[in-house]
Amino acid sequence: MRGILASSIGVTCAAALALPLAPPAAASARTPAPAADVATRTAETADARADVPGSTQSLPLRPLTHDRASGAVLGLTPRTVRTFSLLGVVWDDPSADLHGRVQVRTRAAGTGEWTDWQDVETHYTQHGADPDSPEAASGTVRGATAPLWVGESDGVEVRVLPEPDPGGHGEHGEQPGERGEPEDAGPSDAGSGGGPSGGEGAGDADEVSALPAGMRLDLVDPGEAGPEESAEPAEGAEPAESAEIPRTGVMTAAAKAASAVNSALVPLGATEIPSLTAEETREELVSLRGPELTEQQQAKPYIGPRPAIVTRRGWGADESLREGSFVYTSTVKAAFVHHTASGNNYSCSQAPSLIRGFYRYHTRSLGWRDIGYNFLIDKCGRIYEGRAGGVAKPVKGAHTMGFNSKTTGIAVIGSYGSKKPSSKAVKAVARLTAWKLGLHGRNPKKKTSLTSGGGNLYAKGTKVKMKVISGHRDGFNTSCPGGKLYKKLSSVRSKAATYQGR
């Protein structure tokens, strides 16, 4: 997920040597944290259900120390805050890169114990909308780190350590992979906008990079768990198949609209779209897209059985947070696989809370029109509807900057740079892509042609040959979806093709 331009090993060592600025975890745990003056942004909740309100606290970062070797260090000293479960650092300019290291410690609300320092993924906005798109040009979009899930907490400490100016070096942590192949551009044409914004931090390699302006820590409370979150499947078990049971209570107009776009699949207000058999899926394909199918597709459609999908209502989306309209692209030619880089310290029963947190972070903190991903998958293999517009429709997401048109984005919840994804999650990616790509006649083992909307690998307008199932790093200079998950994509393609009957 990171478009990083310097070695983190050197930065880590320098930071550790230069900044013994915080007390050890045990010492901080013994010292009561001072109360903080908290600037709070709480979204309007007229459209929210009472059991899932949620909120965002926004705390401006302040200088902690400064020296020639490390530059100005921003952060917050230990403090007590309202309960939250997810956090991220946000800044004003979405085109400004954060060349530095973000570390946080949090205090568990239940035990009062402080965690050790944790690193936050600093390069995240490459998951956003395409440059020059209406969503990117809305004037509300901000730069940010990845969200980090920390569980229910009531205390926080943060520090941002700038790193030496990258001087044009390549991305740190990038795993060698199979890039897309440009059709009409040589190496000199394949890249735009990969450097620091506006010359910030430009200079000799031994100079310190400037940090983006307006940096603040956003603390997200995803809201209370709804009744659907009470049961947790064992990590080795198949996700439970729940009935098409609507939530109780009156649905708002926005909630009805988000549910109605799936009305060809389930009744209004359903919390889960159930799985279908292969034959049922083929029959549904003809009913959904019959006039668009060729005679051969109608005679023998290649599509995987539809998997069970938890709807937005199922995971408790507050539909007042997103923009009201739905945005579509013309078709789905490829699927990009991501990881959320939010850490792996969550239980499957908490996944709806994480998704509500991502959703609030994307809309209220980053200023996006909705959650960026089209689908999300937890470690138990359960699949969730992401951006609103209908799971069987070509909804345009904000997941792979430059390649959001004619694609779908699937995020596996967790961080998979050094940790292997669960077999259940990998299987779910294969099942979902076999169905979603099958709706549009795509072969998971083939390649397709996509046109870049602009990014740091391919200039705007460049036609690129891309695998039908690709990793985020294939379309953008980043380490997402993590090396361990990326290595699983070959088997995902084979399994998806098998599910389609190829």
Side-chain angles (χ1 to χ4, degrees):
M1 176 178 322
R2 294 180 281 194
I4 304 177
L5 304 175
S7 169
S8 74
I9 297 175
V11 174
T12 301
C13 294
L17 292 172
L19 283 163
L21 57 90
S28 291
R30 291 192 300 267
T31 305
D37 294 328
V38 179
T40 304
R41 292 200 311 268
T42 303
E44 296 179 7
T45 56
D47 194 21
R49 298 192 327 279
D51 60 332
V52 190
S55 64
T56 300
Q57 304 171 70
S58 191
L59 291 72
L61 301 189
R62 299 182 174 87
L64 295 177
T65 186
H66 182 280
D67 59 51
R68 287 186 178 181
S70 61
V73 177
L74 299 181
L76 293 171
T77 55
R79 63 196 54 220
T80 295
V81 293
R82 292 202 315 273
T83 303
F84 69 98
S85 297
L86 180 142
L87 60 79
V89 171
V90 183
W91 54 92
D92 295 339
D93 184 357
S95 66
D97 291 326
L98 196 170
H99 297 297
R101 188 177 183 193
V102 176
Q103 296 180 306
V104 297
R105 297 174 57 238
T106 57
R107 185 179 62 201
T111 66
E113 295 294 324
W114 285 85
T115 67
D116 294 330
W117 287 106
Q118 300 182 75
D119 286 304
V120 181
E121 170 57 65
T122 57
H123 291 72
Y124 188 68
T125 46
Q126 63 264 36
H127 283 249
D130 295 338
D132 303 324
S133 67
E135 184 170 1
S138 66
T140 64
V141 177
R142 291 174 282 274
T145 67
L148 178 67
W149 176 260
V150 295
E152 192 168 298
S153 305
D154 60 8
V156 68
E157 181 180 9
V158 61
R159 61 189 184 189
V160 182
L161 302 86
E163 66 184 21
D165 186 277
H169 295 297
E171 179 205 18
H172 155 70
E174 178 185 344
Q175 303 283 343
E178 303 172 28
R179 295 284 186 196
E181 302 164 8
E183 293 183 334
D184 58 2
S188 61
D189 298 314
S192 66
S197 168
E200 255 192 312
D204 297 332
D206 58 352
E207 293 183 0
V208 174
S209 296
L211 294 174
M215 297 188 73
R216 52 202 179 273
L217 177 68
D218 274 14
L219 306 175
V220 178
D221 171 13
E224 294 300 318
E228 284 75 17
E229 292 179 54
S230 58
E232 177 178 358
E235 289 199 24
E238 292 287 347
E241 302 288 341
S242 65
E244 305 166 18
I245 303 174
R247 279 185 182 269
T248 58
V250 178
M251 294 178 68
T252 63
K256 287 180 180 177
S259 182
V261 286
N262 290 316
S263 61
L265 311 181
V266 286
L268 188 71
T271 59
E272 184 169 75
I273 298 167
S275 62
L276 296 180
T277 65
E279 182 58 32
E280 289 171 336
T281 303
R282 287 190 288 269
E283 292 174 358
E284 181 182 74
L285 173 64
V286 173
S287 68
L288 290 174
R289 306 192 66 241
E292 306 168 44
L293 301 177
T294 65
E295 288 187 11
Q296 183 178 1
Q297 286 176 317
Q298 291 189 39
K300 189 175 182 181
Y302 291 103
I303 184 170
R306 188 183 75 193
I309 303 171
V310 178
T311 66
R312 289 171 64 90
R313 189 156 175 82
W315 55 259
D318 174 356
E319 299 295 352
S320 72
L321 299 181
R322 63 171 175 83
E323 290 191 20
S325 60
F326 308 124
V327 178
Y328 299 95
T329 185
S330 59
T331 187
V332 175
K333 299 177 71 175
F336 281 100
V337 178
H338 305 259
H339 68 169
T340 59
S342 51
N344 301 306
N345 189 26
Y346 74 94
S347 64
C348 294
S349 65
Q350 293 176 315
S353 290
L354 270 81
I355 297 170
R356 290 197 303 274
F358 300 152
Y359 174 43
R360 179 171 286 276
Y361 187 65
H362 286 182
T363 55
R364 283 299 183 257
S365 297
L366 278 68
W368 297 356
R369 63 175 292 115
D370 195 351
I371 191 170
Y373 308 114
N374 296 102
F375 299 92
L376 299 98
I377 296 172
D378 68 24
K379 64 175 71 172
C380 289
R382 180 165 292 211
I383 301 168
Y384 302 83
E385 177 183 16
R387 181 163 287 204
V391 298
K393 298 183 179 183
V395 178
K396 187 175 184 179
H399 50 82
T400 306
M401 185 180 288
F403 292 99
N404 290 308
S405 292
K406 301 181 180 179
T407 67
T408 193
I410 301 167
V412 180
I413 301 172
S415 302
Y416 299 105
S418 58
K419 180 178 175 61
K420 292 182 180 179
S422 70
S423 60
K424 297 300 180 184
V426 173
K427 181 179 178 180
V429 175
R431 294 179 66 205
L432 177 58
T433 52
W435 173 71
K436 183 67 177 180
L437 294 170
L439 289 172
H440 299 272
R442 310 300 175 190
N443 186 337
K445 298 179 76 173
K446 299 293 186 180
K447 290 186 177 182
T448 190
S449 179
L450 297 173
T451 301
S452 173
N456 65 1
L457 273 182
Y458 303 105
K460 185 176 181 178
T462 304
K463 291 183 178 179
V464 184
K465 277 287 188 182
M466 201 80 72
K467 291 182 182 295
V468 169
I469 299 178
S470 289
H472 184 184
R473 65 177 61 179
D474 295 316
F476 200 97
N477 191 14
T478 174
S479 61
C480 182
K484 297 295 186 181
L485 178 54
Y486 189 79
K487 289 178 181 179
K488 298 292 184 180
L489 296 189
S490 178
S491 65
V492 165
R493 297 180 189 109
S494 297
K495 290 177 182 176
T498 300
Y499 289 139
Q500 286 189 347
R502 297 182 185 273

